[in-house]
Amino acid sequence: MNYSHEVEQMCCVAKGPKHGPAPIPEEGKWVQSKEIKDISGFTHGIGWCAPQQGACKISLNVKEGVIEEALVETIGCSGMTHSAAMAAEILPGKTILEALNTDLVCDAINTAMRELFLQIVYGRTQSAFSEDGLLVGAGLEDLGKGTRSQVGTMYGTKAKGVRYLEMAEGYVTRMALDEDDQVIGYEFVSLGKMTDFIKKGDDPTTAYNKAMGHYGRFEEAAKYIDPRKQ
């Protein structure tokens, strides 16, 4: 350790009370975190790229400073999906400090990692008050039985009104309108379920019909429209 001449000429003044770090909630415990290995928690974070054309959600499960599980979800940018594939491979096994300083290529993914780091080290995780935290695999459970991200895609114009394109349930095939042309429901096909049916041996038409459903007062509609064509 090198000191300037001015510091070397100073006399020593004794340090008074030792103030440790403020304890933060971690997996049902209050922890005075001093090292990376003192950090545990499960949480989510959102990032965005510089032109703000895409967004990324990362879910991390950290145990004793090490990322044991990573879920990376992206929207709005095709290139981001390829960066996400890399990030999901790279992040598990790294400490959160390593992950913070790893170039994950995409601005949005790097930003999400930064936001997650801040949540985790400040004790703002989703599992802060859950005893022993969440088991590894909790991130995957967020996706539900279909193991697909929940995506909503809606489009509207002043001239022609709204179009529902994708709901949490799936790809919207038809919108239901009443006598006043107001939306009262929609029909959808769950692409995840349809794919599973096909993998199990159903022909595509059968799988398509089995994966369809509707919401709202769909059957009471005065007319139906294809939101992508009409």
Side-chain angles (χ1 to χ4, degrees), residues 36 60-70 87-99 102 136:
I36 290 297
L60 294 183
N61 201 345
V62 179
K63 302 291 186 184
E64 296 181 351
V66 176
I67 297 170
E68 297 289 344
E69 176 186 19
E89 182 176 355
I90 287 176
L91 289 173
K94 284 185 175 290
T95 68
I96 55 171
L97 185 57
E98 287 179 300
T102 296
V136 176

Side-chain angles (χ1 to χ4, degrees), residues 11-206:
C11 64
C12 288
V13 176
K15 188 175 182 179
K18 182 179 180 181
H19 294 285
I24 61 174
E26 292 184 28
E27 301 189 338
K29 302 184 297 289
W30 289 97
V31 178
Q32 286 186 304
S33 58
K34 300 177 182 178
E35 301 177 34
I36 290 297
K37 65 181 180 63
D38 296 330
I39 300 293
S40 294
F42 177 91
T43 199
H44 320 277
I46 301 294
W48 53 94
C49 59
Q52 298 187 21
Q53 67 183 24
C56 170
K57 174 186 174 185
I58 298 180
S59 302
L60 294 183
N61 201 345
V62 179
K63 302 291 186 184
E64 296 181 351
V66 176
I67 297 170
E68 297 289 344
E69 176 186 19
L71 171 64
V72 187
E73 302 172 85
T74 65
I75 189 170
C77 175
S78 58
M80 192 188 299
T81 63
H82 295 80
S83 298
M86 181 195 73
E89 182 176 355
I90 287 176
L91 289 173
K94 284 185 175 290
T95 68
I96 55 171
L97 185 57
E98 287 179 300
L100 180 67
N101 289 287
T102 296
D103 184 5
L104 301 172
V105 180
C106 170
D107 279 355
I109 301 176
N110 284 321
T111 303
M113 185 60 233
R114 180 195 70 196
E115 297 301 308
L116 271 170
F117 181 87
L118 293 174
Q119 286 185 47
I120 294 168
V121 298
Y122 283 127
R124 301 297 191 271
T125 65
Q126 303 297 308
S127 60
F129 299 102
S130 301
E131 189 173 356
D132 295 326
L134 302 182
L135 51 75
V136 176
L140 197 61
E141 291 178 358
D142 270 6
L143 295 179
K145 293 181 179 179
T147 323
R148 287 171 59 87
S149 299
Q150 293 191 42
V151 178
T153 307
M154 314 299 160
Y155 177 74
T157 61
K158 180 181 177 181
K160 299 296 183 178
V162 70
R163 298 296 185 275
Y164 298 173
L165 302 174
E166 185 101 13
M167 289 286 192
E169 299 95 334
Y171 178 99
V172 177
T173 52
R174 289 189 295 169
M175 291 173 59
L177 308 182
D178 64 12
E179 294 82 358
D180 298 320
D181 288 336
Q182 295 183 351
V183 182
I184 60 172
Y186 55 88
E187 178 185 67
F188 61 88
V189 58
S190 172
L191 299 179
K193 289 182 179 179
M194 185 179 76
T195 303
D196 287 341
F197 289 141
I198 293 173
K199 288 193 294 184
K200 291 177 180 177
D202 287 345
D203 64 87
T205 301
T206 300

